[in-house]
Amino acid sequence: MKRFATVALAAWISQGLLMAQTAPGQQSGGTPQGATGSRPAAGTGRQGDGGPTAKATTGKAAIPPARTTSVRVSVHDPNGESLDGVRLILSGSAEGEYSTAAAGTAVLPNIKDGMYRIRCERDGFITLEREFPVHSAGALTPVDIVLTPAPPPPAPPPAPKPAAPLAGAPAGPPVNVNIPDFLDTNFIGRDPMKESILACKPAETVRLLQLRDGVAEHVHDKVDEVLYVVAGDGAVRVGSQTMAVRAGSLAVVPQGVAHAIERRGKNPLVVVSTLSGGPCRAGAQVSQ
């Protein structure tokens, strides 16, 4: 009887322990009813499921610095001689001014990838512009340039030759004329104008003009004209100025200036005209 009670107590304790180890809703195998797998342990969640081991994605990735290289520019003439002192003007992704050294070279540092244009200037040479690409691979980028000598400037035009002197031409004999006596024998009469040559010299012509009509505006290109009024009344217009004249009046007309002579009053206007600075025209006859 005592032995039976001991066996029954042991069985009851074993059954109670088994029931305590089996949670409600679980089978005796330890797997929850309706579950498809075991629950992941803490700290083993996959990236992106909100688990404690998910990596933060709020920060931006660092941008690596742009790679650069150096460009070596060599300048020489068509004969291969290096040219120093060449002004180099760089434009493109980078800009700057440089100058070639004694060896005809210049190094342009910190140049990024891209297409560039370089302008080369030097006295005595034709200015040149050239484009070149840069691909930064850490190595020096060479650029070789040939400048062509500029052509010599045109020779200045020869100076105009001075007019040949009239030396050697005979000056002719002196001339003495009594104007009142000359008019007594050479009066104009009823003609509108009468011209008499009083002196015909290598450098001047002296005329006596008797006018009933005026002398239209005209120009003497290479000689000056001196007008002296002997008798009558009139007017001399030189350029834009008009001057009334009478016996004893004198007017000087520079070469190249337009001028005209007008008669006023009832009597003829008598004027001595001296054309100075040029030879007497060919074929002129001196009045006696």
Side-chain angles (χ1 to χ4, degrees), residues 12-236:
W12 178 80
I13 293 174
S14 298
Q15 185 178 3
L17 290 175
L18 179 62
M19 291 177 66
Q21 292 175 359
T22 303
Q26 291 183 345
Q27 298 179 355
S28 60
T31 302
Q33 294 181 359
T36 58
S38 61
R39 184 176 182 180
T44 60
R46 291 172 297 178
Q47 183 176 356
D49 61 3
T53 58
K55 295 183 179 179
T57 58
T58 57
K60 294 184 179 179
I63 300 175
R67 297 182 63 188
T68 62
T69 187
S70 297
V71 175
R72 182 182 62 201
V73 180
S74 301
V75 185
H76 55 87
D77 63 12
N79 297 325
E81 295 293 331
S82 300
L83 297 177
D84 61 344
V86 179
R87 184 187 181 199
L88 306 176
I89 304 173
L90 181 69
S91 59
S93 299
E95 298 181 351
E97 292 191 13
Y98 309 86
S99 181
T100 58
T105 60
V107 176
L108 288 50
N110 302 324
I111 305 300
K112 300 178 182 179
D113 286 357
M115 184 64 67
Y116 293 85
R117 177 181 291 271
I118 191 166
R119 180 182 176 92
C120 305
E121 300 177 351
R122 190 177 191 270
D123 291 341
F125 289 83
I126 299 175
T127 298
L128 175 68
E129 290 191 4
R130 177 178 167 183
E131 291 185 346
F132 63 93
V134 171
H135 302 292
S136 59
L140 201 64
T141 300
V143 176
D144 189 63
I145 294 175
V146 178
L147 290 185
T148 303
K161 295 181 179 180
L166 299 176
V175 177
N176 293 304
V177 178
N178 185 301
I179 301 299
D181 292 344
F182 183 86
L183 289 173
D184 286 342
T185 57
N186 296 276
F187 192 64
I188 184 174
R190 298 203 176 269
D191 294 333
M193 174 181 175
K194 184 173 183 178
E195 177 186 22
S196 303
I197 304 297
L198 302 181
C200 189
K201 302 292 184 178
E204 63 185 3
T205 302
V206 181
R207 307 174 297 166
L208 181 65
L209 305 179
Q210 301 179 63
L211 307 174
R212 289 191 181 275
D213 293 339
V215 177
E217 185 176 79
H218 60 288
V219 175
H220 301 295
D221 291 331
K222 298 181 179 180
V223 294
D224 299 329
E225 184 173 16
V226 179
L227 300 172
Y228 178 77
V229 179
V230 176
D233 296 308
V236 175

